[in-house]
Amino acid sequence: MNVTRRILIAAAVLITAACGGSQPEQPVPQTQPTTPTVNADSVRRAQEEAERRRREADSLAAAQRDAAARAAAAATAAARAEAERAFANQVHFDYDKSDIRAEDQAILDWKVRLLQANGSMTIRISGHADDRGSDEYNLALGNRRAAAAKRYLVSKGITEDRITTDSFGEERPLDTAGNEAAWAANRRAEFTITAGPATWTIPTP
Amino acid sequence: MSSRPAWAFAVVGAVALSALPTCRLAAQDSLPTDAVRVGIRYTPGVRPGLVILPGPGLDSVRAIIARDLDYSDRFEVVPVPVTEQGAPRGPRPVNYQLWQGLGASYALEIVPDPAGAIVRLHDVVGATVRDQRKFPVGTPEGAGFRLGVHRVSDEVVRWITGQPGAAASRLLMIEGGRVWMADYDGAAREALTGAGERALSPAWAPDGSRFAFTLLGEGRGPVMIQEVGSGRRTAVAGADADLNITPTFSPDGTKLLWARSNGDGTDLYSVDLARNCCVQRLTVGRYSDNLSPTFAPNGRRLAFVSTRPGLPQVYAMAPDGTGQELLVPFDFGATGPSHAPEWSPDGTAVVFHRELRGVPQLFVYDVAARRVRQLTSAGRNEDPTWAPDGRHIAFVSDRSGRRQIWILDLESGRLRQLQSPGAARLPAWSRRLAP
């Protein structure tokens, strides 16, 4: 009987416990839709994740493309700058002379290739002299030097009307030291592009 | 026309040089000793003494005339002793004995006159009045005052020597890219072109009313003609494209010659100034340059620089471009480049500069005797221009440390510097300027 009572009490406790416990479990039906919601979220999250990865991949690719493009542009710009530098290379002359020196021919030959590769390009050649001689004669001498450089380019097939010449005589020295080295630096022909295509076709050096 | 003779000359020259090197050197060494004398040694010589008598008023006139007569290099201007400077001023007889004792052969008396000044030249030795004349002389503030006084000086020189002086003249020069004008004594400086411009090669019209010059732009530039008084300018026809340099007027003022530089080289052209038309090409360079023309005073010949022998040398031709020939002889391969010729006002000589061991020096070529004489040897000396008296030369020299205008008297060898604040170059001396 004692055992029976204990079982009954235990059952009653269980029942009450079960009843008492069922009270807070009222929202269970509410939690029932929670499980599908969680699933939807994770799907969305997965989709977002995938999307993010895709975008990341895309932007990476884009960045890589950009970088490549930038590198290419930089390379082009560098090549252009290099070409402009090479184009601006001056030729120099002996005292009171206007002959193109043998060692300067390569400098002019490169300009010939650039002009041949860029048919719309026109240039100006400016002749200069050191400050010996007379002020006036040096204008003529500068003119003769510019004309000699032009003649060389024309002899290599560049049409005359693409090249204008002028002379500054001794009026624009690069070096005013008044010694042999300064004079040698000042006896020069300078080259300027007067018109040309936006993008240059750059010949191999 | 020149290629064969020049080549032949080159061959003969080369043969002569290789055959007789010692002879050539000896000749070259001995040449400057004889030729340089005028430029280096200064011998006072026997110039007559002249005193400007003290008197009332006209002090600035006396001061200018005293300097003009000194700068004429024809007289020894005798200083007036202090005792005489303080002497009572007023008309009094000239004390011939006193002035003769001080070494004066001539005494110049300058007396104020309502119309200007009475100028009286006394022959001190003969104790007589040799010449006198009334000159209109304005006030020192008035325009044309200095030039008026310079004219008095020139007349006094004519009374004594038979040849007028050169004081009533002006120089053009380039300083800081501008054309400046100054009296022949360096006074009354005035800029004639703008501060932002770059002018070169000023050249006087014969009457001094206008001048031509190169207005340098970016590697090119026109020849302009500008009126001295009004500043009004015109571009010379045919000299408005390319680079146009070294203009010169014909002696009658009707033509302008200049050198035009372009892809074909540098060649001489002429233009009719009255109509500013009819441009004529006078030289055909074919890779040689022709520039710096200068007329003989009779207008029938002109000298110019040509590079046809390789280096620039002085050639001559008729004003229409015919009869081109070498004018100033040179040793092929030995003589340095020659530049900037100017024919003398009396037609007997051409002055130019030629590089001697890389340094420019002045030389004068005697047209009749066909001889070259060296004038300078100290420092760099270049771009000579004749005074209207045909015995003085203005030129650029760095002998004082920077490029300045100097004036050399070919007769006495006296040298003086024209004061200018900056580095001056390319002087051009006018003819005598008429009132």
Side-chain angles (χ1 to χ4, degrees), chain B residues 359-374:
Chain B
V359 179
Q361 299 297 350
L362 301 192
F363 290 79
V364 65
Y365 174 67
D366 183 323
V367 176
R370 303 187 178 192
R371 260 206 316 270
V372 178
R373 186 162 63 111
Q374 188 181 347

mmCIF file with all atom_site columns, all heavy atoms in Angstrom, chain B residues 359-374:
data_model
loop_
_atom_site.group_PDB
_atom_site.id
_atom_site.type_symbol
_atom_site.label_atom_id
_atom_site.label_alt_id
_atom_site.label_comp_id
_atom_site.label_asym_id
_atom_site.label_entity_id
_atom_site.label_seq_id
_atom_site.pdbx_PDB_ins_code
_atom_site.Cartn_x
_atom_site.Cartn_y
_atom_site.Cartn_z
_atom_site.occupancy
_atom_site.B_iso_or_equiv
_atom_site.pdbx_formal_charge
_atom_site.auth_seq_id
_atom_site.auth_comp_id
_atom_site.auth_asym_id
_atom_site.auth_atom_id
_atom_site.pdbx_PDB_model_num
ATOM 1   N N   . VAL B 1 359 ? 89.376  84.074  -80.811  1.00 0.00 ? 359 VAL B N   1
ATOM 2   C CA  . VAL B 1 359 ? 88.930  85.313  -80.168  1.00 0.00 ? 359 VAL B CA  1
ATOM 3   C C   . VAL B 1 359 ? 88.680  86.372  -81.249  1.00 0.00 ? 359 VAL B C   1
ATOM 4   O O   . VAL B 1 359 ? 89.563  86.622  -82.075  1.00 0.00 ? 359 VAL B O   1
ATOM 5   C CB  . VAL B 1 359 ? 89.988  85.823  -79.163  1.00 0.00 ? 359 VAL B CB  1
ATOM 6   C CG1 . VAL B 1 359 ? 89.534  87.116  -78.511  1.00 0.00 ? 359 VAL B CG1 1
ATOM 7   C CG2 . VAL B 1 359 ? 90.269  84.754  -78.118  1.00 0.00 ? 359 VAL B CG2 1
ATOM 8   N N   . PRO B 1 360 ? 87.500  86.985  -81.251  1.00 0.00 ? 360 PRO B N   1
ATOM 9   C CA  . PRO B 1 360 ? 87.227  87.984  -82.289  1.00 0.00 ? 360 PRO B CA  1
ATOM 10  C C   . PRO B 1 360 ? 88.040  89.260  -82.076  1.00 0.00 ? 360 PRO B C   1
ATOM 11  O O   . PRO B 1 360 ? 88.118  89.760  -80.948  1.00 0.00 ? 360 PRO B O   1
ATOM 12  C CB  . PRO B 1 360 ? 85.726  88.256  -82.127  1.00 0.00 ? 360 PRO B CB  1
ATOM 13  C CG  . PRO B 1 360 ? 85.404  87.887  -80.723  1.00 0.00 ? 360 PRO B CG  1
ATOM 14  C CD  . PRO B 1 360 ? 86.348  86.782  -80.354  1.00 0.00 ? 360 PRO B CD  1
ATOM 15  N N   . GLN B 1 361 ? 88.638  89.760  -83.150  1.00 0.00 ? 361 GLN B N   1
ATOM 16  C CA  . GLN B 1 361 ? 89.378  91.023  -83.123  1.00 0.00 ? 361 GLN B CA  1
ATOM 17  C C   . GLN B 1 361 ? 88.949  91.859  -84.317  1.00 0.00 ? 361 GLN B C   1
ATOM 18  O O   . GLN B 1 361 ? 88.510  91.329  -85.330  1.00 0.00 ? 361 GLN B O   1
ATOM 19  C CB  . GLN B 1 361 ? 90.896  90.771  -83.186  1.00 0.00 ? 361 GLN B CB  1
ATOM 20  C CG  . GLN B 1 361 ? 91.453  89.961  -82.024  1.00 0.00 ? 361 GLN B CG  1
ATOM 21  C CD  . GLN B 1 361 ? 91.299  90.647  -80.665  1.00 0.00 ? 361 GLN B CD  1
ATOM 22  O OE1 . GLN B 1 361 ? 90.941  91.825  -80.579  1.00 0.00 ? 361 GLN B OE1 1
ATOM 23  N NE2 . GLN B 1 361 ? 91.543  89.901  -79.597  1.00 0.00 ? 361 GLN B NE2 1
ATOM 24  N N   . LEU B 1 362 ? 89.099  93.179  -84.184  1.00 0.00 ? 362 LEU B N   1
ATOM 25  C CA  . LEU B 1 362 ? 88.721  94.064  -85.283  1.00 0.00 ? 362 LEU B CA  1
ATOM 26  C C   . LEU B 1 362 ? 89.836  94.142  -86.317  1.00 0.00 ? 362 LEU B C   1
ATOM 27  O O   . LEU B 1 362 ? 91.017  94.188  -85.962  1.00 0.00 ? 362 LEU B O   1
ATOM 28  C CB  . LEU B 1 362 ? 88.444  95.476  -84.760  1.00 0.00 ? 362 LEU B CB  1
ATOM 29  C CG  . LEU B 1 362 ? 87.347  95.655  -83.721  1.00 0.00 ? 362 LEU B CG  1
ATOM 30  C CD1 . LEU B 1 362 ? 87.051  97.141  -83.561  1.00 0.00 ? 362 LEU B CD1 1
ATOM 31  C CD2 . LEU B 1 362 ? 86.084  94.898  -84.107  1.00 0.00 ? 362 LEU B CD2 1
ATOM 32  N N   . PHE B 1 363 ? 89.428  94.162  -87.561  1.00 0.00 ? 363 PHE B N   1
ATOM 33  C CA  . PHE B 1 363 ? 90.340  94.348  -88.677  1.00 0.00 ? 363 PHE B CA  1
ATOM 34  C C   . PHE B 1 363 ? 89.745  95.390  -89.603  1.00 0.00 ? 363 PHE B C   1
ATOM 35  O O   . PHE B 1 363 ? 88.525  95.558  -89.653  1.00 0.00 ? 363 PHE B O   1
ATOM 36  C CB  . PHE B 1 363 ? 90.517  93.039  -89.462  1.00 0.00 ? 363 PHE B CB  1
ATOM 37  C CG  . PHE B 1 363 ? 91.292  91.977  -88.730  1.00 0.00 ? 363 PHE B CG  1
ATOM 38  C CD1 . PHE B 1 363 ? 90.686  91.200  -87.756  1.00 0.00 ? 363 PHE B CD1 1
ATOM 39  C CD2 . PHE B 1 363 ? 92.630  91.745  -89.024  1.00 0.00 ? 363 PHE B CD2 1
ATOM 40  C CE1 . PHE B 1 363 ? 91.386  90.216  -87.077  1.00 0.00 ? 363 PHE B CE1 1
ATOM 41  C CE2 . PHE B 1 363 ? 93.345  90.759  -88.360  1.00 0.00 ? 363 PHE B CE2 1
ATOM 42  C CZ  . PHE B 1 363 ? 92.724  89.993  -87.384  1.00 0.00 ? 363 PHE B CZ  1
ATOM 43  N N   . VAL B 1 364 ? 90.606  96.078  -90.338  1.00 0.00 ? 364 VAL B N   1
ATOM 44  C CA  . VAL B 1 364 ? 90.106  97.002  -91.342  1.00 0.00 ? 364 VAL B CA  1
ATOM 45  C C   . VAL B 1 364 ? 90.772  96.661  -92.668  1.00 0.00 ? 364 VAL B C   1
ATOM 46  O O   . VAL B 1 364 ? 91.970  96.371  -92.725  1.00 0.00 ? 364 VAL B O   1
ATOM 47  C CB  . VAL B 1 364 ? 90.317  98.483  -90.932  1.00 0.00 ? 364 VAL B CB  1
ATOM 48  C CG1 . VAL B 1 364 ? 91.788  98.846  -90.845  1.00 0.00 ? 364 VAL B CG1 1
ATOM 49  C CG2 . VAL B 1 364 ? 89.554  99.414  -91.855  1.00 0.00 ? 364 VAL B CG2 1
ATOM 50  N N   . TYR B 1 365 ? 89.961  96.632  -93.720  1.00 0.00 ? 365 TYR B N   1
ATOM 51  C CA  . TYR B 1 365 ? 90.456  96.299  -95.050  1.00 0.00 ? 365 TYR B CA  1
ATOM 52  C C   . TYR B 1 365 ? 90.515  97.574  -95.876  1.00 0.00 ? 365 TYR B C   1
ATOM 53  O O   . TYR B 1 365 ? 89.516  98.277  -96.010  1.00 0.00 ? 365 TYR B O   1
ATOM 54  C CB  . TYR B 1 365 ? 89.515  95.279  -95.702  1.00 0.00 ? 365 TYR B CB  1
ATOM 55  C CG  . TYR B 1 365 ? 89.847  94.968  -97.140  1.00 0.00 ? 365 TYR B CG  1
ATOM 56  C CD1 . TYR B 1 365 ? 91.024  94.297  -97.473  1.00 0.00 ? 365 TYR B CD1 1
ATOM 57  C CD2 . TYR B 1 365 ? 88.986  95.346  -98.170  1.00 0.00 ? 365 TYR B CD2 1
ATOM 58  C CE1 . TYR B 1 365 ? 91.332  94.015  -98.795  1.00 0.00 ? 365 TYR B CE1 1
ATOM 59  C CE2 . TYR B 1 365 ? 89.284  95.055  -99.490  1.00 0.00 ? 365 TYR B CE2 1
ATOM 60  C CZ  . TYR B 1 365 ? 90.463  94.392  -99.795  1.00 0.00 ? 365 TYR B CZ  1
ATOM 61  O OH  . TYR B 1 365 ? 90.767  94.116  -101.099 1.00 0.00 ? 365 TYR B OH  1
ATOM 62  N N   . ASP B 1 366 ? 91.694  97.877  -96.392  1.00 0.00 ? 366 ASP B N   1
ATOM 63  C CA  . ASP B 1 366 ? 91.883  99.037  -97.249  1.00 0.00 ? 366 ASP B CA  1
ATOM 64  C C   . ASP B 1 366 ? 91.505  98.631  -98.677  1.00 0.00 ? 366 ASP B C   1
ATOM 65  O O   . ASP B 1 366 ? 92.177  97.807  -99.294  1.00 0.00 ? 366 ASP B O   1
ATOM 66  C CB  . ASP B 1 366 ? 93.355  99.472  -97.163  1.00 0.00 ? 366 ASP B CB  1
ATOM 67  C CG  . ASP B 1 366 ? 93.622  100.727 -97.983  1.00 0.00 ? 366 ASP B CG  1
ATOM 68  O OD1 . ASP B 1 366 ? 93.028  100.870 -99.078  1.00 0.00 ? 366 ASP B OD1 1
ATOM 69  O OD2 . ASP B 1 366 ? 94.437  101.551 -97.529  1.00 0.00 ? 366 ASP B OD2 1
ATOM 70  N N   . VAL B 1 367 ? 90.400  99.211  -99.170  1.00 0.00 ? 367 VAL B N   1
ATOM 71  C CA  . VAL B 1 367 ? 89.841  98.746  -100.437 1.00 0.00 ? 367 VAL B CA  1
ATOM 72  C C   . VAL B 1 367 ? 90.802  99.000  -101.602 1.00 0.00 ? 367 VAL B C   1
ATOM 73  O O   . VAL B 1 367 ? 90.972  98.152  -102.477 1.00 0.00 ? 367 VAL B O   1
ATOM 74  C CB  . VAL B 1 367 ? 88.475  99.421  -100.708 1.00 0.00 ? 367 VAL B CB  1
ATOM 75  C CG1 . VAL B 1 367 ? 87.932  99.013  -102.072 1.00 0.00 ? 367 VAL B CG1 1
ATOM 76  C CG2 . VAL B 1 367 ? 87.478  99.057  -99.610  1.00 0.00 ? 367 VAL B CG2 1
ATOM 77  N N   . ALA B 1 368 ? 91.467  100.169 -101.609 1.00 0.00 ? 368 ALA B N   1
ATOM 78  C CA  . ALA B 1 368 ? 92.358  100.504 -102.719 1.00 0.00 ? 368 ALA B CA  1
ATOM 79  C C   . ALA B 1 368 ? 93.659  99.698  -102.642 1.00 0.00 ? 368 ALA B C   1
ATOM 80  O O   . ALA B 1 368 ? 94.101  99.121  -103.633 1.00 0.00 ? 368 ALA B O   1
ATOM 81  C CB  . ALA B 1 368 ? 92.655  102.000 -102.719 1.00 0.00 ? 368 ALA B CB  1
ATOM 82  N N   . ALA B 1 369 ? 94.260  99.630  -101.454 1.00 0.00 ? 369 ALA B N   1
ATOM 83  C CA  . ALA B 1 369 ? 95.545  98.941  -101.306 1.00 0.00 ? 369 ALA B CA  1
ATOM 84  C C   . ALA B 1 369 ? 95.369  97.429  -101.165 1.00 0.00 ? 369 ALA B C   1
ATOM 85  O O   . ALA B 1 369 ? 96.333  96.686  -101.246 1.00 0.00 ? 369 ALA B O   1
ATOM 86  C CB  . ALA B 1 369 ? 96.281  99.493  -100.090 1.00 0.00 ? 369 ALA B CB  1
ATOM 87  N N   . ARG B 1 370 ? 94.136  96.980  -100.935 1.00 0.00 ? 370 ARG B N   1
ATOM 88  C CA  . ARG B 1 370 ? 93.811  95.559  -100.728 1.00 0.00 ? 370 ARG B CA  1
ATOM 89  C C   . ARG B 1 370 ? 94.635  94.947  -99.610  1.00 0.00 ? 370 ARG B C   1
ATOM 90  O O   . ARG B 1 370 ? 95.211  93.858  -99.749  1.00 0.00 ? 370 ARG B O   1
ATOM 91  C CB  . ARG B 1 370 ? 94.047  94.769  -102.030 1.00 0.00 ? 370 ARG B CB  1
ATOM 92  C CG  . ARG B 1 370 ? 93.236  95.331  -103.168 1.00 0.00 ? 370 ARG B CG  1
ATOM 93  C CD  . ARG B 1 370 ? 93.315  94.474  -104.389 1.00 0.00 ? 370 ARG B CD  1
ATOM 94  N NE  . ARG B 1 370 ? 92.474  95.048  -105.437 1.00 0.00 ? 370 ARG B NE  1
ATOM 95  C CZ  . ARG B 1 370 ? 92.140  94.428  -106.541 1.00 0.00 ? 370 ARG B CZ  1
ATOM 96  N NH1 . ARG B 1 370 ? 92.560  93.191  -106.746 1.00 0.00 ? 370 ARG B NH1 1
ATOM 97  N NH2 . ARG B 1 370 ? 91.382  95.004  -107.437 1.00 0.00 ? 370 ARG B NH2 1
ATOM 98  N N   . ARG B 1 371 ? 94.715  95.699  -98.510  1.00 0.00 ? 371 ARG B N   1
ATOM 99  C CA  . ARG B 1 371 ? 95.476  95.202  -97.357  1.00 0.00 ? 371 ARG B CA  1
ATOM 100 C C   . ARG B 1 371 ? 94.578  95.121  -96.144  1.00 0.00 ? 371 ARG B C   1
ATOM 101 O O   . ARG B 1 371 ? 93.707  95.953  -95.941  1.00 0.00 ? 371 ARG B O   1
ATOM 102 C CB  . ARG B 1 371 ? 96.639  96.142  -97.066  1.00 0.00 ? 371 ARG B CB  1
ATOM 103 C CG  . ARG B 1 371 ? 97.982  95.656  -97.618  1.00 0.00 ? 371 ARG B CG  1
ATOM 104 C CD  . ARG B 1 371 ? 99.156  96.220  -96.806  1.00 0.00 ? 371 ARG B CD  1
ATOM 105 N NE  . ARG B 1 371 ? 99.002  97.633  -96.512  1.00 0.00 ? 371 ARG B NE  1
ATOM 106 C CZ  . ARG B 1 371 ? 99.450  98.614  -97.318  1.00 0.00 ? 371 ARG B CZ  1
ATOM 107 N NH1 . ARG B 1 371 ? 100.061 98.315  -98.448  1.00 0.00 ? 371 ARG B NH1 1
ATOM 108 N NH2 . ARG B 1 371 ? 99.292  99.871  -96.973  1.00 0.00 ? 371 ARG B NH2 1
ATOM 109 N N   . VAL B 1 372 ? 94.843  94.095  -95.311  1.00 0.00 ? 372 VAL B N   1
ATOM 110 C CA  . VAL B 1 372 ? 94.093  93.921  -94.067  1.00 0.00 ? 372 VAL B CA  1
ATOM 111 C C   . VAL B 1 372 ? 94.983  94.350  -92.907  1.00 0.00 ? 372 VAL B C   1
ATOM 112 O O   . VAL B 1 372 ? 96.157  93.995  -92.856  1.00 0.00 ? 372 VAL B O   1
ATOM 113 C CB  . VAL B 1 372 ? 93.680  92.440  -93.882  1.00 0.00 ? 372 VAL B CB  1
ATOM 114 C CG1 . VAL B 1 372 ? 92.936  92.260  -92.569  1.00 0.00 ? 372 VAL B CG1 1
ATOM 115 C CG2 . VAL B 1 372 ? 92.820  91.976  -95.035  1.00 0.00 ? 372 VAL B CG2 1
ATOM 116 N N   . ARG B 1 373 ? 94.422  95.141  -91.999  1.00 0.00 ? 373 ARG B N   1
ATOM 117 C CA  . ARG B 1 373 ? 95.187  95.633  -90.855  1.00 0.00 ? 373 ARG B CA  1
ATOM 118 C C   . ARG B 1 373 ? 94.417  95.288  -89.587  1.00 0.00 ? 373 ARG B C   1
ATOM 119 O O   . ARG B 1 373 ? 93.202  95.493  -89.515  1.00 0.00 ? 373 ARG B O   1
ATOM 120 C CB  . ARG B 1 373 ? 95.316  97.150  -90.988  1.00 0.00 ? 373 ARG B CB  1
ATOM 121 C CG  . ARG B 1 373 ? 96.197  97.829  -89.970  1.00 0.00 ? 373 ARG B CG  1
ATOM 122 C CD  . ARG B 1 373 ? 96.588  99.224  -90.485  1.00 0.00 ? 373 ARG B CD  1
ATOM 123 N NE  . ARG B 1 373 ? 95.422  100.086 -90.642  1.00 0.00 ? 373 ARG B NE  1
ATOM 124 C CZ  . ARG B 1 373 ? 95.178  101.150 -89.870  1.00 0.00 ? 373 ARG B CZ  1
ATOM 125 N NH1 . ARG B 1 373 ? 95.995  101.447 -88.883  1.00 0.00 ? 373 ARG B NH1 1
ATOM 126 N NH2 . ARG B 1 373 ? 94.117  101.906 -90.068  1.00 0.00 ? 373 ARG B NH2 1
ATOM 127 N N   . GLN B 1 374 ? 95.135  94.748  -88.598  1.00 0.00 ? 374 GLN B N   1
ATOM 128 C CA  . GLN B 1 374 ? 94.481  94.400  -87.331  1.00 0.00 ? 374 GLN B CA  1
ATOM 129 C C   . GLN B 1 374 ? 94.416  95.618  -86.428  1.00 0.00 ? 374 GLN B C   1
ATOM 130 O O   . GLN B 1 374 ? 95.384  96.363  -86.298  1.00 0.00 ? 374 GLN B O   1
ATOM 131 C CB  . GLN B 1 374 ? 95.265  93.276  -86.641  1.00 0.00 ? 374 GLN B CB  1
ATOM 132 C CG  . GLN B 1 374 ? 94.539  92.725  -85.421  1.00 0.00 ? 374 GLN B CG  1
ATOM 133 C CD  . GLN B 1 374 ? 95.330  91.630  -84.728  1.00 0.00 ? 374 GLN B CD  1
ATOM 134 O OE1 . GLN B 1 374 ? 96.296  91.111  -85.285  1.00 0.00 ? 374 GLN B OE1 1
ATOM 135 N NE2 . GLN B 1 374 ? 94.921  91.284  -83.524  1.00 0.00 ? 374 GLN B NE2 1
#
